Amino acid sequence: MPAPAGREVGESCNITALSGSEVLYLDRVETQAPLRFYLHPGSRVPAHCSASGKLLLAQLTPVQRRRLLDQVPLEQYTAHTITDFDALEREIEAVKRDGHAIDNEEFLPGLFSIAVLVPRRRRARTPASPSMRR
């Protein structure tokens, strides 16, 4: 499924799932552009600072999110990482309202991602690109 989306947007595209407090990359199609970030299937990233993670966290109730995220620190990876639970909750409310999530260099400097839900499987589809190609 990521191949058609990747061709359509011209960027890397992922299928992910929530695995505890992390996002698990299940499948990925790489962009043909020479500048890219490589996250292979099986890679894991923190949910609180990835577009897919915030989108999937938005599918949980606030109590479920708190229980899940209380188990791990909201570690800062870049200057843009959300490390405060209340700020993350506000971001998740925006995700629910807008129907998509954004990672604006929150996990890796230079990486901008947008995630949308693939409803039938509760997996997120995420085109990702270096921020200079936005």
Side-chain angles (χ1 to χ4, degrees):
M1 164 133 54
R7 281 192 300 272
E8 185 177 327
V9 298
E11 295 294 348
S12 299
C13 191
N14 312 295
I15 299 290
T16 62
L18 195 60
S19 177
S21 63
E22 297 177 312
V23 171
L24 173 63
Y25 284 75
L26 302 173
D27 197 7
R28 181 174 173 92
V29 171
E30 290 291 337
T31 180
Q32 296 303 307
L35 180 60
R36 64 185 94 175
F37 291 92
Y38 184 69
L39 291 167
H40 59 84
S43 295
R44 292 173 179 266
V45 300
H48 75 283
C49 58
S50 67
S52 296
K54 290 186 281 184
L55 185 73
L56 294 166
L57 288 171
Q59 308 311 302
L60 304 175
T61 68
V63 171
Q64 290 170 319
R65 273 193 302 278
R66 175 66 84 169
R67 191 176 307 131
L68 182 69
L69 295 174
D70 273 349
Q71 306 302 311
V72 295
L74 299 181
E75 189 174 334
Q76 184 165 7
Y77 291 88
T78 73
H80 302 283
T81 306
I82 298 171
T83 58
D84 174 74
F85 186 82
D86 292 331
L88 182 60
E89 278 296 306
R90 288 190 296 276
E91 177 85 1
I92 288 171
E93 286 305 314
V95 169
K96 288 178 177 179
R97 180 191 67 233
D98 299 340
H100 66 274
I102 294 174
D103 168 359
N104 188 9
E105 302 186 56
E106 296 170 49
F107 179 58
L108 293 171
L111 181 65
F112 179 84
S113 301
I114 299 173
V116 296
L117 194 64
V118 178
R120 293 190 313 205
R121 294 203 176 110
R122 271 208 165 169
R123 294 180 181 158
R125 184 165 66 175
T126 311
S129 69
S131 57
M132 63 189 64
R133 283 204 299 265
R134 283 191 265 172

